[in-house]
Amino acid sequence: MSDTPRLERLLEQTVRLLSGGGLHPVEILQRTQAAVQAAARDGNAPNHVRIVLNPSDYARYREAMADLRYELDVLLDRLERREGWSRIGDRLIDFEQDPAAPQGIPAVTATFADTLHRDYAPPVGETQVIHRYQGLLLRLGDGTTVPFTHTPFRIGRGPGNDFLYPNLALSRNHAEIATVPGGLEIRDLGSRNGVYVDGRRVTRTPLLLGQPVRLGDIELWLERER
């Protein structure tokens, strides 16, 4: 994972596609900030941001959405601190596509939502294939272990996860372990407190046997059953 700041990496990811014209990521950031400012009420910030894109813009940003979501979180955290706003519940940032949305113009809404019972859903158009595993487990730094039996394998403190761990450092849907060519990787699902390897926040990283990964302040690693 490069040490280049995420916004720079995001711009690098999109510059080739933008060479022929298209939606600039800064436009999404600006419209999101404006929508949140307009929706704030009585010292409270809205916690659900919905960004609707034309399918061509959605396809252009598909690979960059994790970095864009991170930049949006940073932007909105700063806005909330600056304005002295409170927020109840986890922040949700959803990207959607709609053929009726004009190309190059994102439609952004910010609302107050109940996040307590929201389950994770795969991105639009993503097919979930179940891969089975035997003889592996996840071990936490506190000694807790859980069998690792399949992917996708989701971790969080909310219902609907494969490993539900009731710790406030975890988001309700925090991370997902997925099968990729050559092995496994763990992906951040847009969590508030992030996924870290060697003190570095990442959006996704290979999950290697014995390699500690931190979710918020929870450390875990993959190992073989003895």
Side-chain angles (χ1 to χ4, degrees):
M1 178 67 65
S2 170
D3 289 330
T4 305
R6 288 177 187 242
L7 183 55
E8 290 183 27
R9 187 165 68 247
L10 174 61
L11 294 173
E12 289 169 0
Q13 287 174 314
T14 56
V15 67
R16 179 178 60 83
L17 294 168
L18 291 174
S19 61
L23 175 61
H24 198 287
V26 172
E27 178 76 9
I28 299 175
L29 295 173
Q30 291 174 338
R31 285 179 178 266
T32 299
Q33 176 170 315
V36 169
Q37 287 177 310
R41 294 288 183 274
D42 301 322
N44 293 305
N47 63 330
H48 184 196
V49 175
R50 181 171 173 260
I51 301 169
V52 180
L53 303 174
N54 179 273
S56 64
D57 292 325
Y58 187 93
R60 178 179 290 114
Y61 278 90
R62 185 185 294 274
E63 295 301 318
M65 279 181 182
D67 284 334
L68 182 55
R69 182 179 281 108
Y70 176 81
E71 289 298 332
L72 287 165
D73 264 325
V74 171
L75 172 74
L76 296 178
D77 283 345
R78 289 174 178 167
L79 178 63
E80 289 173 9
R81 288 195 299 269
R82 187 185 75 202
E83 300 293 338
W85 293 336
S86 299
R87 174 167 40 81
I88 299 174
D90 293 337
R91 180 187 296 127
L92 306 175
I93 299 177
D94 289 335
F95 290 94
E96 301 176 16
Q97 55 183 325
D98 185 346
Q103 188 173 353
I105 303 177
V108 183
T109 57
T111 58
F112 294 86
D114 175 14
T115 63
L116 182 60
H117 301 105
R118 177 183 167 107
D119 292 337
Y120 173 75
V124 174
E126 180 176 309
T127 301
Q128 297 288 289
V129 178
I130 304 298
H131 298 267
R132 301 292 179 183
Y133 292 86
Q134 293 183 336
L136 296 175
L137 57 83
L138 291 172
R139 183 178 296 276
L140 275 64
D142 65 1
T144 300
T145 61
V146 59
F148 178 75
T149 57
H150 64 279
T151 61
F153 187 95
R154 299 184 186 101
I155 303 168
R157 62 180 173 86
N161 288 287
D162 299 288
F163 179 31
L164 194 161
Y165 191 72
N167 185 299
L168 291 177
L170 295 180
S171 293
R172 300 188 198 286
N173 302 296
H174 197 107
E176 176 184 82
I177 301 172
T179 298
V180 295
L184 299 168
E185 73 173 15
I186 187 166
R187 305 166 177 172
D188 191 345
L189 295 178
S191 67
R192 181 168 182 79
N193 291 326
V195 175
Y196 291 82
V197 177
D198 295 329
R200 209 161 31 87
R201 185 164 182 167
V202 297
T203 56
R204 58 179 63 198
T205 187
L207 184 63
L208 307 175
L209 285 170
Q211 170 69 56
V213 177
R214 185 162 57 86
L215 312 182
D217 61 7
I218 309 300
E219 188 174 67
L220 60 81
W221 58 91
L222 185 69
E223 63 180 46
R224 297 193 186 280
E225 291 181 343
R226 297 174 182 175

